[in-house]
Amino acid sequence: MLAKSPQRFDDCIFQVCLANQYSAAKELTNFLIQMENGDFDLGEDEEEVVPKPEGGEDDDDDDDGQGINKEKKFLAALERSMGNETAMNAKQMESNLGTQVKFGQTIQLKHRKSQKFLTVDSMVVASVERENLRVFLSDTGSSLSWFTLKPWFKIDRENADMETNAAVLLQVAERSQEQVHCSEMSLSKRRDGDREVNCSLDRTGWRICVYSEYHDGGKDLFAGEIVQLFDPEKLSYLRLLEEHGKDR
């Protein structure tokens, strides 16, 4: 959501992060869903089939046990893969702290107070502007947490170095026609200054303002820096809102 006069500025602070990889995490999630629905087939083993003695009976219990063991082994392999992916993401972010951020680069925005990632929910519509998709904070993020920094002004070019207060479109990398958008309507009559942030085909320009520098680099914007996102048209900051015990 947006607020013109936030009571706490730590609600408005995000960290510029490199885009994490989520292929292993997505595979694990899909496997768990398929296991729960009972429609996952590991396929036949490509091992030599040992013929049973004549007059022998099929051991259904052994077959069921082997199937369960296969699922456990496959699940353990997927969990190890996701752990390796998480460690690789952390190592990549650490090694690239302080690198110059450029127009056209795909990043993630981590909310510093909650340590969650700004994310588009492709399955839920927004509360105020029902034609748009919901934007929320996710614990781990996903490919819908990837945002491409598109130049707002024509004078700025792709691959050019970004500076603090640069104006950008936060384009959803997985949905190239859509971007992070500020609603025209307020959240409610009682909260006239607060507006919804959602995912829309409509354009909203954001200024990325350095709040706390990673290092003294003048006006340049670097990976790892703590920033605020400001909408100059609405004169408002992007921030977290807790409503009825839930984060938005």
Side-chain angles (χ1 to χ4, degrees):
M1 64 152 299
L2 288 175
K4 291 185 178 179
S5 301
Q7 294 179 352
R8 294 179 58 93
F9 265 92
D10 56 357
D11 286 337
C12 308
I13 298 171
F14 293 81
Q15 184 177 23
V16 178
C17 299
L18 300 181
N20 289 333
Q21 297 300 312
Y22 291 103
S23 56
K26 183 176 181 180
E27 190 174 359
L28 174 60
T29 300
N30 290 339
F31 177 69
L32 291 173
I33 293 173
Q34 290 171 332
M35 281 185 63
E36 185 177 346
N37 295 335
D39 60 357
F40 189 84
D41 184 10
L42 290 174
E44 298 293 334
D45 286 338
E46 296 182 359
E47 297 178 355
E48 183 179 355
V49 178
V50 179
K52 294 184 174 63
E54 291 185 10
E57 296 180 355
D58 292 337
D59 194 338
D60 293 335
D61 291 339
D62 286 348
D63 290 343
D64 291 342
Q66 290 176 4
I68 293 173
N69 286 334
K70 287 180 184 178
E71 287 185 351
K72 288 182 177 179
K73 289 179 180 178
F74 194 68
L75 177 60
L78 290 177
E79 289 174 339
R80 286 195 302 272
S81 179
M82 190 185 76
N84 292 336
E85 184 177 69
T86 301
M88 181 192 69
N89 287 334
K91 184 177 181 180
Q92 181 179 354
M93 180 62 194
E94 183 178 357
S95 63
N96 285 278
L97 280 173
T99 56
Q100 179 77 55
V101 175
K102 298 179 181 295
F103 286 107
Q105 186 172 345
T106 298
I107 63 162
Q108 290 182 232
L109 292 167
K110 179 188 281 188
H111 187 247
R112 290 292 294 176
K113 184 178 179 181
S114 65
Q115 292 295 296
K116 297 180 180 181
F117 291 99
L118 192 71
T119 306
V120 175
D121 190 336
S122 62
M123 304 300 292
V124 180
V125 297
S127 299
V128 176
E129 295 181 335
R130 305 289 291 176
E131 68 275 16
N132 297 332
L133 293 175
R134 173 177 175 253
V135 170
F136 72 109
L137 293 176
S138 167
D139 290 333
T140 57
S142 70
S143 57
L144 287 171
S145 307
W146 295 339
F147 300 105
T148 304
L149 301 169
K150 291 292 186 179
W152 177 258
F153 296 115
K154 292 182 178 180
I155 193 173
D156 294 318
R157 300 295 180 90
E158 296 274 342
N159 298 317
D161 292 345
M162 282 186 60
E163 297 182 351
T164 183
N165 288 321
V168 296
L169 285 170
L170 291 176
Q171 183 186 80
V172 184
E174 292 284 285
R175 307 171 72 93
S176 60
Q177 300 301 314
E178 301 175 35
Q179 45 264 321
V180 178
H181 168 66
C182 170
S183 67
E184 294 296 331
M185 296 187 297
S186 299
L187 285 171
S188 67
K189 292 182 180 179
R190 292 177 298 174
R191 313 182 69 150
D192 186 51
D194 295 341
R195 300 174 187 271
E196 178 183 66
V197 171
N198 52 49
C199 173
S200 174
L201 293 171
D202 295 330
R203 292 158 54 94
T204 294
W206 298 93
R207 288 197 179 273
I208 300 183
C209 313
V210 172
Y211 180 82
S212 176
E213 294 180 349
Y214 175 74
H215 59 67
D216 185 11
K219 295 182 178 181
D220 291 334
L221 182 66
F222 298 97
E225 287 192 316
I226 311 303
V227 300
Q228 294 174 309
L229 281 85
F230 183 72
D231 181 354
E233 291 185 3
K234 307 293 191 306
L235 299 177
S236 302
Y237 292 94
L238 176 65
R239 77 172 181 94
L240 170 69
L241 169 68
E242 292 188 8
E243 188 171 39
H244 304 302
K246 295 183 179 179
D247 293 346
R248 294 185 59 168

